[in-house]
Amino acid sequence: MKLAKSEKKGRFITLIVIFIGVFLLFVGTLVKIQLISSDDVQKESLISSVSSTVKATRGQILDRNGKALVGNRQGSNIVFRYSQFPKEQSERNKIIIKLIELFESNGLEWNDDMPIVLDANGNYQFEEDRETDIKTMKSADMLHLNKYATADDCMQELCDRYELSGYSKSDARKIASVCYEMRANVFNSANPYTFAEDVSSEIVAVIKENSAIYTGVDVEIVSYREYTDGSIAPHILGITGVINAEEYDELKSKGYSMDDVVGKSGIESTFEENLKGTNGVRTVSTATDGTQTTTVEGLKNGDNIMLTIDADLQKIAQDSLAAKCKEISTANAGGGSVVVMNCKTGEVLAMASYPTYNLETYYDDYESLAKNTNSPLYNRALLSTYAPGSTA
């Protein structure tokens, strides 16, 4: 009997010790959380973060000797950041018109792509040769108007939607253009809107110095194509440009965004998948004490492409072809092509087409190039039907 009582007493003491141990462990953990780690816990629990896309740097295009034919340079874009940009439309309008006035007073362009213009009489008209864009504007996803809607109907809907009744017709159209493009490009926290591209350092300084006026307007450093000599092999290298609606529908599954740059022709287009790279995601996390942490994930810059072309030989071939064509040209003829190959390997060492153009000024010159009856944009080396060795 005595032994049984001793066992019970021992068990009771053991349970008491275990209970006290668990209680002390709980109290210790609670003290650590509440007193020692409380600041860290609060930072983690109250932290906020904003994510945005980081554009991959496009790969270079090199000649057979590693000489860069197409590279990159840094430039500044003016963008709207959704998290800081006002949500009230009236406040947005004030910022937008101030930016437009800043750019126009300095003779600078901003992204104005809406297919409605003011004619010489001050009336709204659809821009010529913009049928696809006009159809998109009237669609259910945008203004939800019938296909017979006029430019005035579209502008009236835009003015009602974006609270523009107090502005002149000219200013209302400009603000509406920006607001319309913001909607078309799905302006949100993950997708900033680009107001202007490749702006000068002077404009960047003005915007940064007046950040209180330009709320939510930011400067984004991006890469632009740079050419060692824009006249070298333009038909081969090709050009890049902002992705259009058809290209976006095809490429969005591959991670492209609506403001990405893609190859439009030549090597830039053929090797788009290699040159493009993969955009990353920048996350800026802000703690309650104001501390910010920035991380970038998933960013992979594009691969370089090495051609069989010899840049020096290409230059000689182009100059010689141009001189010969000018020598024998008549009112009805003045074009030709030259292809230089390694007969042992089949490698193309030079490929020239005349008349030609300059990649650096392609977009500025496009209208005149497209109207030129000698078709400088046409690659005669690949698309014409000259017989081998022909001088005709």
Side-chain angles (χ1 to χ4, degrees):
M1 268 315 266
K2 290 182 179 180
L3 185 59
K5 288 182 178 180
S6 298
E7 287 179 351
K8 289 181 179 179
K9 185 177 182 180
R11 291 174 181 175
F12 179 77
I13 294 173
T14 301
L15 289 173
I16 292 297
V17 171
I18 293 172
F19 176 81
I20 292 174
V22 171
F23 178 77
L24 291 175
L25 179 62
F26 175 81
V27 171
T29 302
L30 186 62
V31 169
K32 182 176 183 297
I33 292 174
Q34 292 293 324
L35 300 180
I36 301 175
S37 304
S38 61
D39 290 341
D40 293 336
V41 171
Q42 287 178 3
K43 287 178 185 178
E44 292 176 1
S45 62
L46 298 177
I47 202 166
S48 63
S49 63
V50 177
S51 297
S52 60
T53 300
V54 182
K55 302 293 185 183
T57 299
R58 201 167 177 85
Q60 298 184 86
I61 302 177
L62 315 172
D63 83 342
R64 66 184 300 111
N65 301 309
K67 180 179 180 179
L69 300 173
V70 185
N72 301 289
R73 65 173 176 80
Q74 285 192 331
S76 299
N77 285 357
I78 302 302
V79 299
F80 297 169
R81 300 289 183 193
Y82 184 84
S83 58
Q84 289 89 36
F85 204 64
K87 300 301 183 287
E88 300 81 7
Q89 187 60 50
S90 60
E91 294 302 312
R92 288 186 171 189
N93 294 344
K94 292 176 184 177
I95 293 171
I96 291 169
I97 196 61
K98 284 183 180 295
L99 269 178
I100 291 172
E101 290 170 351
L102 172 65
F103 273 72
E104 292 188 344
S105 65
N106 285 274
L108 302 176
E109 294 183 353
W110 46 280
N111 290 333
D112 182 5
D113 198 42
M114 189 174 70
I116 296 178
V117 296
L118 274 172
D119 64 18
N121 298 317
N123 299 316
Y124 295 122
Q125 299 289 341
F126 287 125
E127 198 169 2
E128 294 182 1
D129 302 322
R130 297 287 300 274
E131 286 76 15
T132 300
D133 294 326
I134 294 168
K135 181 179 178 181
T136 299
M137 171 176 273
K138 298 177 186 179
S139 69
D141 291 334
M142 299 305 295
L143 300 187
H144 207 286
L145 297 174
N146 65 57
K147 62 181 181 180
Y148 304 109
T150 65
D152 274 324
D153 294 332
C154 291
M155 276 305 305
Q156 185 59 57
E157 175 63 25
L158 288 166
C159 288
D160 291 343
R161 183 174 297 191
Y162 298 119
E163 303 175 16
L164 301 173
S165 58
Y167 292 89
S168 67
K169 293 184 74 172
S170 176
D171 286 350
R173 190 222 150 268
K174 294 172 184 177
I175 298 172
S177 177
V178 175
C179 294
Y180 174 79
E181 289 298 317
M182 289 166 65
R183 177 178 173 82
N185 287 279
V186 194
F187 177 51
N188 57 37
S189 58
N191 188 34
Y193 171 72
T194 302
F195 173 81
E197 300 172 347
D198 203 15
V199 302
S200 66
S201 57
E202 290 78 12
I203 293 297
V204 168
V206 171
I207 291 173
K208 286 188 172 182
E209 290 170 2
N210 295 278
S211 58
I213 297 175
Y214 302 113
T215 307
V217 180
D218 197 8
V219 178
E220 182 177 60
I221 305 301
V222 296
S223 292
Y224 285 95
R225 273 324 213 185
E226 184 174 51
Y227 305 96
T228 304
D229 183 343
S231 68
I232 295 292
H235 298 90
I236 298 172
L237 300 176
I239 54 101
T240 58
V242 177
I243 194 169
N244 60 38
E246 292 76 15
E247 290 165 337
Y248 176 68
D249 288 340
E250 180 182 345
L251 296 172
K252 61 184 177 182
S253 62
K254 297 182 180 180
Y256 282 71
S257 58
M258 297 184 74
D259 61 345
D260 268 331
V261 169
V262 297
K264 300 288 187 176
S265 62
I267 295 297
E268 294 278 21
S269 175
T270 302
F271 291 93
E272 168 65 24
E273 187 172 342
N274 306 85
L275 290 165
K276 173 64 173 69
T278 304
N279 292 338
V281 176
R282 177 191 290 112
T283 302
V284 180
S285 301
T286 305
T288 53
D289 64 357
T291 303
Q292 289 191 331
T293 303
T294 302
T295 59
V296 177
E297 297 180 345
L299 179 65
K300 180 183 180 298
N301 291 329
D303 298 323
N304 294 338
I305 299 295
M306 181 172 283
L307 308 180
T308 61
I309 296 295
D310 183 304
D312 295 332
L313 183 59
Q314 177 72 25
K315 175 68 172 173
I316 293 171
Q318 289 184 189
D319 291 346
S320 300
L321 174 63
K324 179 58 68 174
C325 286
K326 290 175 183 177
E327 178 186 328
I328 65 174
S329 68
T330 66
N332 298 317
S337 65
V338 168
V339 178
V340 182
M341 298 178 65
N342 183 328
C343 59
K344 295 181 179 180
T345 63
E347 293 176 321
V348 176
L349 305 179
M351 181 185 292
S353 179
Y354 182 86
T356 185
Y357 58 96
N358 193 307
L359 289 168
E360 292 179 298
T361 59
Y362 171 83
Y363 284 106
D364 292 333
D365 300 339
Y366 180 77
E367 187 173 349
S368 61
L369 291 170
K371 292 179 179 179
N372 191 317
T373 56
N374 282 328
S375 305
L377 298 176
Y378 185 68
N379 187 351
R380 289 168 166 79
L382 294 180
L383 302 176
S384 289
T385 55
Y386 304 120
S390 171
T391 58

